[in-house]
């Protein structure tokens, strides 16, 4: 519910109605290919949004860029939620296997993620503030949310991947 509300509010804050946010040519293929080539999330975040901007009529408009960036942010957010769920299961198992002899990994993970969400949101608010209320603030803010979410996804995936 919170995730859906945040995405919906982000869309409205950018001046994009949910209907127009859906009227873009988006595929995650460019980002997935970039990641498969061995590049990190920082290098790959935005690849699919850029392809969307290039392939969508009006994609280079503020609304078009914002909608494409928003769609990739949703893709990264979905991947983050899946990775976080897996990490949470891993942390719970660690806590049980460890028998309580150390701090709870599950609790630490939850607290870290809550703090990260606050940090991400404040950082992206700051990025938006540089536009002084101008129309570029929406896409800049969503690009920040997308990039930060991509990097957090990679961090969580690295923490639970052996080797």
């Amino acid at each position: 519910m919170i995730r859906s509300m945040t995405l919906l509010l982000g869309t409205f804050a950018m001046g994009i109605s949910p209907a127009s946010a859906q009227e873009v040519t988006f595929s995650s293929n460019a980002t997935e290919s970039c990641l498969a080539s061995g590049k990190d999330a920082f290098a790959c975040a935005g690849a699919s949004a850029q392809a969307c901007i290039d392939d969508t009529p009006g994609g280079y408009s503020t609304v078009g860029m914002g909608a494409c960036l928003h769609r990739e942010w949703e893709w990264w957010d979905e991947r983050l939620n899946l990775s976080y769920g897996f990490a949470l299961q891993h942390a719970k198992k660690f806590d049980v296997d460890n028998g309580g002899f150390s701090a709870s990994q599950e609790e630490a993970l939850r607290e870290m993620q809550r703090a990260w969400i606050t940090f991400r949101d404040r950082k992206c608010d700051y990025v938006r503030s540089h536009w002084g209320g101008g129309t570029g603030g929406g896409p800049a803010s969503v690009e920040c949310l997308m990039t930060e979410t991509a990097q957090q996804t990679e961090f969580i995936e690295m923490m639970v991947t052996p080797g």
Side-chain angles (χ1 to χ4, degrees):
M1 173 69 171
I2 292 173
R3 178 180 169 271
S4 298
M5 181 95 106
T6 302
L7 294 175
L8 186 60
L9 289 174
T11 302
F12 284 123
M14 290 178 5
I16 301 170
S17 71
S20 66
Q22 300 299 313
E23 296 171 10
V24 296
T25 306
F26 181 83
S27 165
S28 61
N29 290 344
T31 302
E32 291 172 13
S33 294
C34 182
L35 292 169
S37 76
K39 293 181 182 171
D40 66 12
F42 187 76
C44 295
S48 292
Q50 186 59 57
C52 173
I53 290 166
D54 292 342
D55 295 343
T56 298
Y60 280 92
S61 68
T62 302
V63 171
M65 287 186 287
C68 290
L69 289 162
H70 194 272
R71 291 294 300 274
E72 186 169 343
W73 174 38
E74 289 176 319
W75 181 84
W76 280 109
D77 192 56
E78 184 177 318
R79 182 172 170 154
L80 174 60
N81 287 327
L82 291 171
S83 299
Y84 177 74
F86 179 76
L88 205 52
Q89 290 175 356
H90 185 267
K92 287 178 185 180
K93 182 179 180 333
F94 175 85
D95 289 348
V96 169
D97 293 348
N98 197 28
F101 289 110
S102 65
S104 169
Q105 199 176 83
E106 177 187 1
E107 185 178 320
L109 175 62
R110 286 182 193 278
E111 289 301 314
M112 179 272 305
Q113 190 67 2
R114 286 181 186 130
W116 171 79
I117 290 168
T118 299
F119 168 78
R120 178 204 63 193
D121 291 349
R122 296 303 74 80
K123 181 177 183 177
C124 296
D125 288 346
Y126 176 67
V127 167
R128 184 185 189 107
S129 76
H130 283 262
W131 288 85
T135 59
S141 179
V142 177
E143 182 176 29
C144 175
L145 292 166
M146 176 195 64
T147 302
E148 291 297 316
T149 303
Q151 291 174 349
Q152 184 69 358
T153 301
E154 182 174 70
F155 172 76
I156 289 177
E157 289 175 353
M158 286 181 1
M159 292 302 293
V160 294
T161 303

